[in-house]
Amino acid sequence: MLPIYVINNFGQFNHLIHRALRDLDIDVALLPNSTPAARVGKECRGIILGGGPDIARAGNCAEYLDLGLPVLGICLGLHIIATRFGGSVHPGQSGGYGPVEVGICEHDDILKGYPETMNVWASHADEVTKVPDGFVLLARSGICGAEAIARPDLRIYGLQWHPEVSHTFEGNRVFENFDRITRDTC
């Protein structure tokens, strides 16, 4: 079976995402965001767009969204998804990185098995302020109206929070759900 690619957007947690999947015995590889889309599309079964400091340094990430593969965007990855499909991203009022209680609005494939509310760890330096047309709001919090979104028909999912860090409640479940999504489409 083909691996899942974690796309490194120069964020401090991209290696943690890679390790989390590897620790779950999910075949995974970490690639720079400069990797040509044609190569990515032929060599993997799903893509995780990792976090990073600046959307201007997102390389070829927007092109990966056109490959027809399942995509999970985390933090900056969510912002790439939102802007690519016509949403908006602006600086968050809460800024910084820390704990947030999110409420699940929709238990879709990526959030399957989670409770109605949970504590996560997230950065809100930037956040989605307009959800793109065709996307479903999956989760929100008291400080951010779009903590998670999805376009299930395209198998594209985005989270503001970081499931790869130990402070996030059962973060590995997101990766297990994404692994299942990619296997169901192979």
Side-chain angles (χ1 to χ4, degrees):
M1 180 163 291
L2 293 172
I4 291 173
Y5 281 165
V6 175
I7 305 300
N8 186 347
N9 283 313
F10 310 105
Q12 59 185 340
F13 296 116
N14 289 286
H15 293 279
L16 289 178
I17 298 168
H18 179 259
R19 180 177 178 180
L21 272 75
R22 194 181 66 222
D23 288 350
L24 292 168
D25 291 323
I26 297 171
D27 192 14
V28 61
L30 184 65
L31 293 180
N33 65 12
S34 58
T35 306
R39 176 178 165 212
V40 170
K42 293 178 184 175
E43 298 179 358
C44 72
R45 62 185 164 98
I47 300 165
I48 297 177
L49 300 176
D54 188 352
I55 202 163
R57 296 180 59 199
N60 295 329
C61 287
E63 295 174 32
Y64 305 152
L65 295 168
D66 297 326
L67 297 173
L69 293 166
V71 175
L72 170 61
I74 297 172
C75 198
L76 177 68
L78 163 65
H79 306 156
I80 294 165
I81 291 167
T83 57
R84 163 64 181 78
F85 288 96
S88 299
V89 175
H90 295 289
Q93 293 182 0
S94 298
Y97 187 67
V100 179
E101 182 179 77
V102 299
I104 307 299
C105 306
E106 179 92 24
H107 286 89
D108 77 329
D109 293 338
I110 202 70
L111 298 180
K112 188 174 191 170
Y114 279 107
E116 295 300 314
T117 61
M118 62 185 187
N119 291 313
V120 300
W121 209 257
S123 169
H124 287 89
D126 293 304
E127 58 192 29
V128 173
T129 54
K130 178 182 176 260
V131 175
D133 291 342
F135 279 74
V136 177
L137 179 66
L138 300 180
R140 71 175 102 210
S141 72
I143 61 170
C144 178
E147 292 282 355
I149 64 173
R151 179 85 189 260
D153 60 322
L154 298 178
R155 300 167 303 160
I156 296 176
Y157 311 88
L159 307 175
Q160 183 70 39
W161 69 84
H162 289 267
E164 71 276 11
V165 299
S166 62
H167 303 306
T168 291
F169 175 76
E170 295 184 11
N172 280 343
R173 185 174 300 182
V174 165
F175 298 128
E176 292 167 339
N177 287 342
F178 188 66
D179 180 51
R180 188 185 67 256
I181 290 165
T182 65
R183 288 175 185 274
D184 289 348
T185 59
C186 285

